[in-house]
Amino acid sequence: MDMKVGRLRASGPKRKRGPGRPQKSANGDDARERILDAAENLFAHHGLDAVSVRDVARKAHVDTALVHYYFATKRGVFDAVFQRRAAILNKERIAMIDAYEAAPGPGGVTVEGLIEAFLSPLFDASVKGGPKWKDYFALIAQVNNNPDWGGETMARFFDPVIRHLIAALRRALPSARDEDLFWSYHFLSGALTLTFAQTGRIDLLSDGLCKSTDFAAASARLSRYIAAGFEAVCVSRSIVRKRTK
Amino acid sequence: MDMKVGRLRASGPKRKRGPGRPQKSANGDDARERILDAAENLFAHHGLDAVSVRDVARKAHVDTALVHYYFATKRGVFDAVFQRRAAILNKERIAMIDAYEAAPGPGGVTVEGLIEAFLSPLFDASVKGGPKWKDYFALIAQVNNNPDWGGETMARFFDPVIRHLIAALRRALPSARDEDLFWSYHFLSGALTLTFAQTGRIDLLSDGLCKSTDFAAASARLSRYIAAGFEAVCVSRSIVRKRTK
DNA sequence: CGAATAATTCATCACCCGGTGAATTTTTTG
DNA sequence: CAAAAAATTCACCGGGTGATGAATTATTCG
């Protein structure tokens, strides 16, 4: 009986910098990068399961075998796409929160200020960063709402930043309960990711008055909306809470 | 030349009540119903594209051909699942909004009261209605965040109720702009559907303090959270708006 | 140049997919 | 009971899927 023998080929070549490099290196037109871009775009717009490795390869003008050469498996492609922009983003977001806490406006640290610091790198990237960043955020929206492996994946990449935000919120709202903070963040997460998902939903609902792609409009409202939600839920209402619980 | 001839077989049998009925009819154990239940569960937990017709048939203890006999295509199965509970739900939600507007508490109609009327049939069904209803709501979460056809599908089934809610909110907040109302609803929609998606995300983030399955806890917070968001965004701040716009 | 190494392609495998037409079985009707 | 109709199964098709090993091309290094 021949059991399925595990793949021996490692996940891609040894990445030493020197020898045998591809056509272009300083340029962003490596085949590897093209594959990631193609996958990012397709996964974001159609979901992981609706896109085949062949689709990705075709869009990247590359043979399917090359995709497996670099990333071993389809899930490997996905992970690489997901990871590529996460690190940059997370560093910025933590820096923004810290900077705001170190020098808030007159009146001190507010919930809205913290939320805005937490969100601004995302909206900045999606507005100024070009379509690839928009694709990336749409991809995150997909993952965040995936019931299979979404929760685990999001936790792996984004929990540090989020815990950082929640710690800061805890300082800004000393009377808040942790459950209230976590649920409030959960609602924020849902509102944010649906906005990033660009489903065209709001376009249809509003008969064209609002556009899914108009992140500036979303950004102008979201921080205020969410901050008000946090304050309404997290600021001492223990009497009411006991009644509803 | 033989062009692909359209399917001649109609989408299922003639549904007259009399002849040739299956094993059980009054009971909910029809094969047709079993297929819908199986599909509902699988689509909700894994997404439409990750589930095959064979998976559904296997779970329903039925041949794949029977699935096509009743629903013609995989998408047909999905539509039937989606539609099955939508009508019931929408009728209840409109009734709740109307009832609340007709007899609000002392102090008149509030945003929180409207939101709660709008949401309560959902949480009621998911808490009291058993696991099939939870599956259904998880399925809605999938659809709402699907960038391909989610926006259009949600619009087709739920826009009437939502427009009804927004009309009521417009009466409760006469100074609100429509863009603000639509964006505010959009955020509500995202927060709600991520909650229904049951991704386990909040469980991991909170180290088990909060549970994705605890709809009672979510329900206890969501209306207040969202109402505060609506009021913060939609109540006259035209001076500020002009600056950010 | 020529050897070494990385990048890329080619041909292919075993399997799963959605869907269909023709039997076959079950149920209802007269 | 027989005839009719509905429900269900069986066998199958064409095509797509993720993945792989061997061959081929491009690049770098000595």
Side-chain angles (χ1 to χ4, degrees), chain A:
Chain A
M1 46 161 70
D2 54 347
M3 306 206 44
K4 186 168 190 125
V5 56
R7 60 170 20 259
L8 298 181
R9 176 198 300 166
S11 61
K14 300 147 207 135
R15 295 301 287 161
K16 61 170 162 177
R17 200 181 295 98
R21 290 283 295 295
Q23 310 153 338
K24 313 185 178 183
S25 61
N27 192 339
D29 208 22
D30 281 7
R32 203 188 119 100
E33 216 68 14
R34 278 200 328 267
I35 293 169
L36 289 178
D37 289 346
E40 189 171 68
N41 179 271
L42 291 172
F43 289 158
H45 290 351
H46 310 293
L48 176 65
D49 293 303
V51 173
S52 70
V53 176
R54 283 166 167 82
D55 293 333
V56 173
R58 196 175 309 127
K59 176 149 196 163
H61 303 291
V62 146
D63 190 280
T64 49
L66 192 63
V67 177
H68 286 102
Y69 172 71
Y70 280 118
F71 305 104
T73 115
K74 182 181 177 179
R75 183 59 195 264
V77 178
F78 174 87
D79 286 341
V81 169
F82 205 77
Q83 195 150 24
R84 184 166 57 153
R85 305 189 198 272
I88 315 161
L89 223 44
N90 287 346
K91 205 170 288 180
E92 277 187 53
R93 296 170 88 184
I94 289 187
M96 286 293 287
I97 293 171
D98 290 346
Y100 172 74
E101 268 195 306
V109 173
T110 65
V111 174
E112 189 172 347
L114 285 171
I115 300 292
E116 189 151 343
F118 175 77
L119 294 180
S120 60
L122 308 183
F123 283 108
D124 271 18
S126 69
V127 171
K128 304 174 194 162
K132 289 179 185 176
W133 277 99
K134 285 198 176 184
D135 287 347
Y136 182 67
F137 289 119
L139 177 67
I140 290 182
Q142 288 282 310
V143 177
N144 198 39
N145 289 274
N146 180 299
D148 257 348
W149 39 270
E152 176 261 323
T153 307
M154 290 295 291
R156 191 147 39 91
F157 287 94
F158 292 113
D159 265 13
V161 202
I162 294 162
R163 290 174 196 276
H164 201 76
L165 170 71
I166 288 179
L169 286 166
R170 211 180 271 125
R171 287 188 286 275
L173 297 168
S175 68
R177 299 180 173 200
D178 271 9
E179 302 103 293
D180 292 332
L181 286 170
F182 285 123
W183 277 110
S184 292
Y185 174 77
H186 201 62
F187 301 150
L188 156 60
S189 178
L192 178 65
T193 53
L194 179 60
T195 300
F196 278 144
Q198 299 189 70
T199 61
R201 176 92 184 83
I202 198 174
D203 311 54
L204 292 170
L205 179 63
S206 71
D207 281 322
L209 183 63
C210 305
K211 311 271 184 200
S212 279
T213 51
D214 186 0
F215 288 129
S219 171
R221 293 164 174 88
L222 187 56
S223 300
R224 184 177 294 257
Y225 188 96
I226 294 298
F230 265 90
E231 277 158 1
V233 164
C234 298
V235 171
S236 66
R237 324 172 283 107
S238 48
I239 305 117
V240 179
R241 177 63 38 74
K242 278 197 186 102
R243 186 168 56 75
T244 64
K245 207 171 191 178

Side-chain angles (χ1 to χ4, degrees), chain B residues 161-173:
Chain B
V161 202
I162 294 162
R163 290 175 196 275
H164 201 77
L165 170 71
I166 289 180
L169 286 166
R170 211 180 271 126
R171 287 189 285 274
L173 297 168

Side-chain angles (χ1 to χ4, degrees), chain B residues 83-232:
Chain B
Q83 195 150 23
R84 183 167 56 153
R85 305 190 196 273
I88 314 161
L89 223 44
N90 288 347
K91 205 170 291 181
E92 277 186 53
R93 295 171 89 186
I94 289 189
M96 286 295 285
I97 292 172
D98 290 346
Y100 173 74
E101 268 195 306
V109 173
T110 65
V111 174
E112 188 172 347
L114 284 171
I115 301 292
E116 188 150 344
F118 175 76
L119 294 180
S120 60
L122 307 182
F123 283 107
D124 270 18
S126 68
V127 170
K128 305 174 192 161
K132 290 178 185 177
W133 277 97
K134 285 197 175 184
D135 286 348
Y136 181 67
F137 289 119
L139 177 66
I140 290 182
Q142 288 283 308
V143 177
N144 198 39
N145 288 275
N146 181 298
D148 258 350
W149 39 271
E152 176 261 322
T153 307
M154 290 295 291
R156 190 149 39 92
F157 286 94
F158 292 113
D159 265 14
V161 202
I162 294 162
R163 290 175 196 275
H164 201 77
L165 170 71
I166 289 180
L169 286 166
R170 211 180 271 126
R171 287 189 285 274
L173 297 168
S175 68
R177 300 178 172 201
D178 272 8
E179 303 102 293
D180 292 333
L181 286 170
F182 286 123
W183 276 109
S184 292
Y185 174 77
H186 201 61
F187 301 149
L188 156 60
S189 179
L192 177 65
T193 52
L194 179 61
T195 300
F196 278 144
Q198 299 190 70
T199 61
R201 176 92 185 82
I202 198 174
D203 311 54
L204 293 169
L205 180 62
S206 70
D207 282 323
L209 182 62
C210 305
K211 312 272 185 199
S212 279
T213 51
D214 186 0
F215 289 128
S219 171
R221 292 164 175 88
L222 187 56
S223 301
R224 184 176 294 257
Y225 188 97
I226 295 299
F230 265 90
E231 277 157 1

